[in-house]
Amino acid sequence: MGSYLIRTILKHKHSLSPSTTFIRSKTTSAQFVASRARDATFEKLMDKYKNLLKVVAIQDLILANHETAAGNKNPPSVSLDFLSRLSQKLHLNRGAASFLRKYPHIFHIFYDTAKSQPFCRLTDLAMQISREEAEAINASLPLVVDRLVRLLFMSTSKSLPLRAIFKVWRELGLPDDFEDSVISRNPHLFQLFDGHEPNTHVLKLVGEVAEGGFTAAVENWRIMECCKEEEEEGTDVDRIGIRYSFKHGYPPGMRLSKNFKAKVKEWQSLPYLGPYEELDLEEKKSSKAGVKGLEKRAVGIVHEFLSLTVEKMVEVEKISHFRKCFGIDFNIRDLFLDHPGIFYLSTKGKRHTVFLREAYERGRLIDPNPVYDVRRKLLDLVILGRHDMLESNLKVQEVVGNHNSGFQNDNNID
């Protein structure tokens, strides 16, 4: 496993079954992305997420349009002409109007006689979901502050460019005004400094972290594994084996070679420094064992990064902005490709998105949070599409309100 453990490509690849795990060379990563073992559940989920991202982009444009006359109580809206001009940027291949009509539970198209042109606004149900998400985020502000502190603490300089945080503000569950509601209101923790480039800012952690520091998500899993094994009679707990291990899982039907299993076992036993431990990069780079430890530490950092996100997923391009700040001297995408048991990389929607595999089961988070639950309601409306438009609004509200059961079956994600 890893850049220093995976080196060989199996010969005669054309004679292997597509589900057989083969080992990737650094010069063939593009081919590996195309031919890697696919996980149908994640692919079906991402197929809907790519449309959800477009829906959210249009929703944000509508909600940001507050340039209405004073005293106007009409809900925010944007013209179809405006959205049509942005069709290419929003990846609306068949045009804005065609896309909006696919989701009548989310968007309402109407004709403004005063302006003599069609407009689009959010439906009452979509507006309600938007308000619920804002309420859920505001209710979780202590968790949001903790996430931001942890993110800064993982940085080698305990600071991050503000523009990098802006890239993942939604993934971290930050309020859209987080500069005021989170940073400015916690001056004992955060401070903004001018960056080295014009019009750039750096967010620095200035507060002291409590004694004992932070516990990474993977360490909590290891503790649970030890406790679970101790409860089983006659089981000898392999504390040394678990000490540096990560939870692994693979797509159904993915056949693992003996060589691959041996490499995984060897990699699991490699010692490394956790994401919140102090690191001397130069000292580690001076030895082969140290470099291997740095690579495993990099896996630990991106694992923790994904654990801090609301939906345990993020675009690879976004997390790459943190690579240097975290002291990761490896290609981020390679880390995901080299560890398919920990991460799942999807290329749906012309973007590379990575999921934390252990956090999901049958296309849903195993341990959901309030913000995720509300966002899932919007995804369920995307999945619903044009269906049930003849049903009453109450029926639709019941479907969305009970989203944990209405779309529980994987077949509903098709």
Side-chain angles (χ1 to χ4, degrees):
M1 294 294 292
S3 302
Y4 300 90
L5 297 175
I6 297 186
R7 291 301 186 200
T8 310
I9 297 180
L10 295 182
K11 295 180 180 179
H12 312 299
K13 188 178 75 174
H14 64 277
S15 64
L16 295 175
S17 164
S19 63
T20 301
T21 299
F22 61 90
I23 302 176
R24 183 180 63 82
S25 144
K26 289 299 169 187
T27 60
T28 60
S29 61
Q31 294 95 315
F32 186 88
V33 170
S35 61
R36 71 199 184 287
R38 306 292 179 92
D39 190 312
T41 301
F42 281 110
E43 290 300 310
K44 289 178 182 179
L45 176 61
M46 196 59 212
D47 196 45
K48 298 304 177 184
Y49 256 104
K50 68 181 183 181
N51 290 324
L52 174 66
L53 294 174
K54 298 175 185 178
V55 166
V56 169
I58 297 173
Q59 173 186 267
D60 289 348
L61 288 172
I62 294 173
L63 294 175
N65 189 27
H66 294 306
E67 298 177 5
T68 53
N72 188 351
K73 295 183 180 180
N74 292 330
S77 62
V78 294
S79 69
L80 254 62
D81 180 63
F82 173 73
L83 292 177
S84 295
R85 293 198 300 270
L86 292 175
S87 289
Q88 187 173 359
K89 186 175 182 180
L90 296 172
H91 305 293
L92 308 180
N93 300 329
R94 297 186 179 180
S98 176
F99 182 82
L100 296 172
R101 292 191 184 103
K102 288 171 62 178
Y103 306 106
H105 296 295
I106 303 172
F107 302 114
H108 174 65
I109 300 174
F110 65 97
Y111 189 81
D112 189 324
T113 54
K115 298 181 180 179
S116 301
Q117 61 176 315
F119 277 72
C120 174
R121 66 171 176 81
L122 296 176
T123 63
D124 291 342
L125 184 54
M127 284 293 293
Q128 176 61 28
I129 291 174
S130 177
R131 286 191 290 268
E132 287 181 13
E133 180 178 351
E135 291 168 1
I137 289 173
N138 288 331
S140 63
L141 280 182
L143 289 175
V144 168
V145 171
D146 180 69
R147 287 183 197 133
L148 198 52
V149 169
R150 285 171 176 263
L151 204 64
L152 289 164
F153 199 80
M154 284 195 290
S155 167
T156 55
S157 64
K158 303 298 182 285
S159 63
L160 292 168
L162 191 61
R163 64 174 179 267
I165 298 172
F166 267 114
K167 292 279 186 181
V168 293
W169 71 273
R170 188 184 294 274
E171 285 82 353
L172 294 173
L174 293 169
D176 53 9
D177 65 341
F178 72 88
E179 284 185 271
D180 295 324
S181 59
V182 175
I183 297 174
S184 296
R185 293 184 185 179
N186 292 279
H188 62 293
L189 293 173
F190 312 117
Q191 190 169 344
L192 280 174
F193 295 91
D194 289 333
H196 298 297
E197 301 174 10
N199 300 318
T200 61
H201 293 88
V202 174
L203 181 64
K204 187 173 182 63
L205 181 64
V206 294
E208 293 293 329
V209 174
E211 187 176 350
F214 299 111
T215 301
V218 68
E219 294 172 17
N220 290 326
W221 171 78
R222 290 168 187 156
I223 292 171
M224 291 176 62
E225 284 296 293
C226 285
C227 293
K228 184 170 64 177
E229 292 192 9
E230 284 180 340
E231 290 175 358
E232 298 176 6
E233 292 186 13
T235 301
D236 293 327
V237 180
D238 183 9
R239 294 186 180 277
I240 296 178
I242 294 175
R243 184 180 179 184
Y244 300 117
S245 293
F246 287 77
K247 186 175 183 179
H248 278 66
Y250 299 94
M254 183 175 176
R255 292 178 293 180
L256 308 178
S257 67
K258 290 183 179 179
N259 183 50
F260 183 85
K261 291 179 180 178
K263 293 293 185 183
V264 171
K265 185 175 182 180
E266 179 185 347
W267 183 86
Q268 289 276 56
S269 65
L270 284 176
Y272 74 107
L273 289 176
Y276 300 117
E277 297 180 65
E278 294 293 334
L279 176 70
D280 187 335
L281 282 172
E282 295 307 316
E283 180 183 346
K284 288 292 181 182
K285 289 180 181 179
S286 63
S287 67
K288 185 176 179 180
V291 173
K292 289 182 179 180
L294 284 178
E295 186 180 12
K296 190 164 184 179
R297 175 183 177 272
V299 171
I301 287 176
V302 294
H303 180 284
E304 184 67 5
F305 189 106
L306 285 166
S307 298
L308 293 176
T309 63
V310 170
E311 298 171 87
K312 316 308 177 194
M313 58 179 282
V314 70
E315 285 182 44
V316 175
E317 181 270 334
K318 291 182 178 181
I319 196 172
S320 294
H321 286 272
F322 295 86
R323 186 173 64 85
K324 290 184 179 179
C325 300
F326 291 155
I328 297 177
D329 198 20
F330 304 93
N331 184 290
I332 292 288
R333 189 181 67 165
D334 285 346
L335 293 175
F336 300 139
L337 291 173
D338 288 345
H339 298 275
I342 303 174
F343 311 108
Y344 183 73
L345 183 66
S346 172
T347 58
K348 288 279 187 179
K350 298 181 180 180
R351 55 170 55 85
H352 287 192
T353 304
V354 62
F355 292 84
L356 184 59
R357 182 181 288 281
E358 68 195 59
Y360 279 82
E361 184 175 12
R362 300 183 67 189
R364 290 179 176 273
L365 282 188
I366 296 173
D367 186 18
N369 55 76
V371 178
Y372 168 83
D373 284 337
V374 177
R375 290 181 180 176
R376 180 72 201 200
K377 290 183 181 182
L378 188 60
L379 177 60
D380 286 346
L381 286 185
V382 171
I383 295 172
L384 197 60
R386 293 192 182 98
H387 294 299
D388 293 345
M389 278 310 294
L390 297 179
E391 300 290 339
S392 66
N393 287 336
L394 179 60
K395 171 67 175 178
V396 176
Q397 296 242 19
E398 288 175 352
V399 170
V400 178
N402 193 26
H403 64 282
N404 284 329
S405 60
F407 296 95
Q408 188 69 36
N409 195 300
D410 283 346
N411 293 330
N412 289 318
I413 304 180
D414 287 326

